[in-house]
Amino acid sequence: MAVSVKDVAAAASVSVGTVSNVLNRPDIVAPATVARVQAAIERLGFVRNDAARQLRAGRSRSIGLVVLDVRNPFFTDIARGSEDRAAEDGMTILLGNSDENATREGAYLDLFEEQRVHGVLISPMSDDLPRLARLRDRGTPVVLVDRESTDRAFSSVAVDDVVGGELAVRHLLSIGRRRIAFVGGPEGLQQVADRLEGARRAVASEPEATLEVIPTDSLTVLQGRAAGEIVRERGADERPDAVFAANDLLAMGVLQALTMQGGLRVPDDVALIGYDDIDFASAAVVPLSSIRQPATLIGYTAVDLLLKEAAAAASGTASDHVREHVVFQPELVVRDSTRA
């Protein structure tokens, strides 16, 4: 049976209130009494129920983070940045993986609300934000990660993915490629839609260029491999001469299908660029060009905004709180997969 505060108080011959003070405000307790209580704690093996203490205070010291795919190193880096910033305020991160599934996303939101987390960081599946608004209205602050809300009703941290998509395709055009394929999906993900919009803008500036969309069900290596097989099976005159993949995992799958299974040369036959610039991009059999996002900084900044939201809620000024929208600029990283 777990040892309780009452057990410690009895063993030390003090009141329960004194034990509580030793645990939380030892500076107001006589040193001899502190020593006696600490000795009883050690002798009995008492472990404080910190979760219960935090819930009595109103909120836990944990922050919920829901990402689209924990297998994607981009989101791992976001979690690392979030963890770094949370630790500065003595908080922890609870990580939930929606796996690009709206039902799982909802289950994590319910769980985090039940746990009365300090707030929620989320890279949402869709624009169905009323649920997040209700969560916030019930007292749980929410910050969007890796995307903005269309009505700017939530603080958010993102990268300008339209600019990123345009950067990627303008680079492909600059090395002489004209038949561009965009590999990515589902388009319901705002990040994918924005990157495709940027690609279309770049192609529109070059009269001889064309853009084909090869949709995928998710942003994984396997889906990239399937898209690469579509490209590989075409004749030289029909296949695209460049591929822009919506993230690096897709790009790695395309690379596998083209070079390891199809005998095509990258970039000679097909130039290839990804998005996110994860660590594996530079280590691929043909190092991948990519559009870099500051993932760790995104996570760090998101927690910073969330703490401001939580402080406003705690002070009763949430209705007057000005939402902040931080947008970082992407960066083109050129490697062998698009060398001229």
Side-chain angles (χ1 to χ4, degrees), residues 169 173 178 180 198-211:
V169 174
L173 295 172
R178 293 296 179 268
I180 315 295
R200 285 175 170 146
R201 289 186 185 183
V203 166
S205 68
E206 173 53 60
E208 297 179 1
T210 60
L211 181 68

Side-chain angles (χ1 to χ4, degrees), residues 59 113 116-120 132 135-142:
R59 287 284 160 191
E113 186 173 21
R116 301 182 71 179
V117 295
H118 203 73
V120 169
L132 296 179
L135 180 66
R136 182 184 60 196
D137 293 343
R138 290 194 294 264
T140 302
V142 177

Side-chain angles (χ1 to χ4, degrees), residues 167-304:
L167 269 177
V169 174
R170 285 194 182 280
H171 171 60
L172 295 175
L173 295 172
S174 75
I175 61 172
R177 306 307 166 106
R178 293 296 179 268
R179 300 191 306 276
I180 315 295
F182 175 84
V183 171
E187 282 192 52
L189 288 177
Q190 191 60 49
Q191 297 92 324
V192 173
D194 286 348
R195 292 166 198 179
L196 177 55
E197 172 62 23
R200 285 175 170 146
R201 289 186 185 183
V203 166
S205 68
E206 173 53 60
E208 297 179 1
T210 60
L211 181 68
E212 172 191 6
V213 177
I214 301 177
T216 63
D217 294 331
S218 60
L219 302 169
T220 64
V221 173
L222 287 178
Q223 287 288 303
R225 192 180 301 164
E229 290 170 355
I230 293 173
V231 173
R232 183 191 69 204
E233 291 171 358
R234 297 179 183 175
D237 293 337
E238 297 179 348
R239 79 170 67 101
D241 57 15
V243 171
F244 168 34
N247 77 354
D248 287 338
L249 295 182
L250 286 171
M252 292 175 69
V254 171
L255 181 64
Q256 290 174 7
L258 296 183
T259 61
M260 298 173 66
Q261 299 173 328
L264 295 177
R265 298 168 300 168
V266 173
D268 302 67
D269 298 315
V270 181
L272 175 63
I273 187 169
Y275 206 104
D276 292 337
D277 194 35
I278 62 176
D279 289 341
F280 295 127
S282 62
V285 61
V286 179
L288 286 169
S289 296
S290 188
I291 301 299
R292 177 177 295 163
Q293 302 192 79
T296 303
L297 182 57
I298 290 172
Y300 188 100
T301 305
V303 172
D304 215 36

Side-chain angles (χ1 to χ4, degrees), residues 52-69:
R53 180 182 64 84
Q54 290 173 2
L55 291 178
R56 284 194 297 271
R59 287 284 160 191
S60 77
R61 300 290 292 174
S62 298
I63 294 170
L65 169 62
V66 185
V67 300
L68 291 171
D69 186 358

